[in-house]
C-alpha cells in the first residue's frame, strides 16, 4: 500500500491556505493509502515560541486535524517531539546535506531576511523535514506549492545517502494539487497566505467566526479593471478568489470566471462557499476541544505506532552508516 506522510507546524492558527493547499488532500488520501500525519512541533522551534502557547497550539492543531476528518482509526496522527527518531535522523541528514544547498532554500531566505534573530535551526530546517519523511519509507507527500523545493531536497538527500551507503531510504514524491496549492493573502495577493505573517485582514483563519470570514472576503483586494478573468499575473486578486472558490466547489477556476459579471457577485459566491466549508469543521473542533484527554490518548497511540515504523528505518540508516551497535552489558 502506498505510504503517505505530511506535517504541519503549530506556529499559529490554521489558515485557509493550509486547508485548501494541504489538509483536504490528507483527508482524501486516507481512502487509498497508509497515511501518517504529524504536528511538527520541533519545526516550530526554529523561531522563538512562548512555551505555554506552543503547548496549547500543538494540542489544538491535533484537534483541528481530527475536526477536518483525519480519522485516527485509519491514519497515524502524532506529535513530532514524541518520536525522538526524528531528531536523530535529522542530524544524520544535516551531515548528508551540503551547506550550499541549504543556503539556496528560498523559505530560509524569506524567513531570515529582516529577522531579528536567525537560529541555526531555521537554516537546517529542511534536513529535519527530510528526516520526517524518510523515517516512514514514504512514497508520497501532499503539500502546498511552497514546499516544492524542500521536497526536492528530501529526494536528493535520500538518493545521495543511498548512493554512499547502500539502499536505505525510499525516495519520496511530492503531491502538489493543481488548484488551491497557493492560496494568496487577500490584502496582498502576490504573497502567500500564512499563519505566522501579521496580516489579519488578508488571512482567513479556519476558526474565524463565520461573519468575519465573509467580511474578509468581501473586502479582499481586487484588480484595477472590472472583468472577471482567471489570470494570475495580470489579475492576482480576482484569480485568488476564483482559486479559492474552485477549491471549495470542485469546478475549474476558468469555468467559474464565466459565471460572474462583477467582482461583487464573485465575492458573494466565494464567501458563501468558504463559510459552508468551514462551518462543519468548526462544529467538530468544538467537540474535540472539549475533550483534551481524548486527544492526548489518540496522540499517544499515534506516537507508539509511528515509533514502530521509524525505529527500524533509523536502525537501517545507523547500520549502513557504520555507527557501532550497542553490545550487551
Ligand atoms: P508559517 O506561516 O508558520 O510558515 P504556514 O501557514 O505557511 O506556516 P505550514 O505549517 O508551513 O503553514 O504548512 C502546512 C501545509 O500547508 C504545507 O503543506 C504548506 O505547503 C501548506 N500551505 C501553507 N500555506 C499555504 C497557502 N497559502 N496555500 C496553499 N498551501 C499552503
Ligand atoms: N516544512 C513544512 C512542514 C513540514 C512537513 C514535513 C511537510 C515539516 N515536516 C514533512 C511535509 C512533510 C512547512 O513549512 N509547511
Amino acid at each position: 500500500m502506498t505510504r503517505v506522510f505530511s506535517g504541519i507546524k503549530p506556529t499559529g492558527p490554521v489558515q485557509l491556505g493550509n486547508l485548501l493547499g494541504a489538509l483536504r488532500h490528507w483527508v482524501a488520501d486516507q481512502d487509498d493509502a497508509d497515511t501518517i500525519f504529524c504536528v511538527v512541533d520541533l519545526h516550530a522551534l526554529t523561531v522563538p515560541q512562548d512555551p505555554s502557547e506552543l503547548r496549547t497550539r500543538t494540542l489544538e492543531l491535533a484537534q483541528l486535524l481530527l475536526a477536518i476528518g483525519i480519522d485516527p482509526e485509519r491514519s497515524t496522527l502524532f506529535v513530532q517531539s514524541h518520536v525522538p527518531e526524528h531528531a536523530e535522523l535529522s542530524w544524520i541528514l544535516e551531515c548528508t546535506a551540503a551547506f550550499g544547498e541549504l543556503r539556496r532554500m528560498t523559505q530560509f531566505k524569506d524567513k531570515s531576511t529582516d529577522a531579528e534573530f536567525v537560529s541555526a535551526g531555521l537554516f537546517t530546517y529542511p534536513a529535519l523535514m527530510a528526516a520526517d519523511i524518510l523515517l516512514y519509507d514514504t512514497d508520497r507527500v501532499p503539500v502546498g506549492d511552497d514546499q516544492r523545493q524542500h521536497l526536492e531536497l528530501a529526494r536528493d538527500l535520500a538518493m545521495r545517502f543511498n548512493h554512499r551507503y547502500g539502499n536505505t531510504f525510499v525516495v519520496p514524491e511530492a503531491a502538489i494539487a493543481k488548484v488551491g496549492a497557493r492560496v494568496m493573502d487577500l490584502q496582498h495577493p502576490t504573497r502567500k497566505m500564512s499563519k505566522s505573517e501579521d496580516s489579519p485582514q488578508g488571512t482567513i483563519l479556519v476558526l474565524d467566526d463565520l461573519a468575519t470570514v465573509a467580511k474578509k472576503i468581501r473586502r479582499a483586494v481586487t484588480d484595477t479593471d472590472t472583468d472577471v478573468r482567471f489570470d494570475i499575473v495580470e489579475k492576482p486578486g480576482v484569480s485568488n478568489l476564483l482559486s479559492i472558490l474552485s477549491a471549495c466547489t470542485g469546478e475549474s477556476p476558468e469555468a467559474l470566471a464565466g459565471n460572474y459579471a462583477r467582482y461583487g457577485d464573485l465575492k458573494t459566491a466565494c464567501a458563501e462557499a468558504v463559510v459552508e466549508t468551514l462551518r462543519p469543521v468548526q462544529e467538530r473542533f468544538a467537540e474535540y476541544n472539549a475533550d483534551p484527554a481524548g486527544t492526548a490518548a489518540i496522540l499517544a497511540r499515534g506516537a507508539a505506532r509511528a515509533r514502530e515504523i521509524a525505529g527500524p528505518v533509523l536502525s537501517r540508516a545507523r547500520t549502513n552508516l557504520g555507527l557501532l551497535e550497542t553490545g550487551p552489558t
Side-chain angles (χ1 to χ4, degrees), residues 5-9 26 40 43 80 107 125 128-130 132-133 141-143 146-147 150-151 192:
F5 179 98
S6 199
I8 179 165
K9 290 174 288 186
W26 299 12
V40 290
H43 275 106
Q80 189 183 31
Q107 182 168 305
Y125 177 113
L128 177 58
M129 175 163 166
D132 298 341
I133 297 166
V141 187
V143 282
D146 60 323
Q147 296 304 309
H150 287 160
L151 249 299
K192 76 159 191 155

Side-chain angles (χ1 to χ4, degrees), residues 16 29-30 57 81-82 95-96 100 235 244 247 275 280:
L16 188 67
D29 282 336
Q30 296 180 118
R57 275 194 187 139
S81 65
H82 294 177
C95 298
T96 309
K235 302 187 71 77
I244 292 172
V275 163

Side-chain angles (χ1 to χ4, degrees), residues 5 36-39 76-80 83 86 136 299 302-303 306:
F5 179 98
I36 305 181
F37 301 117
C38 185
V39 176
T76 302
L77 175 66
F78 72 103
V79 173
Q80 189 183 31
V83 179
H86 289 246
Y136 298 93
L299 293 174

Side-chain angles (χ1 to χ4, degrees), residues 9 11 15 17-18 111 144 146 181 183 192-196:
K9 290 174 288 186
T11 41
Q15 40 91 9
N18 300 132
K111 297 211 175 202
D146 60 323
V183 175
K192 76 159 191 155
M193 193 180 280
S194 146
K195 59 174 135 61
S196 60

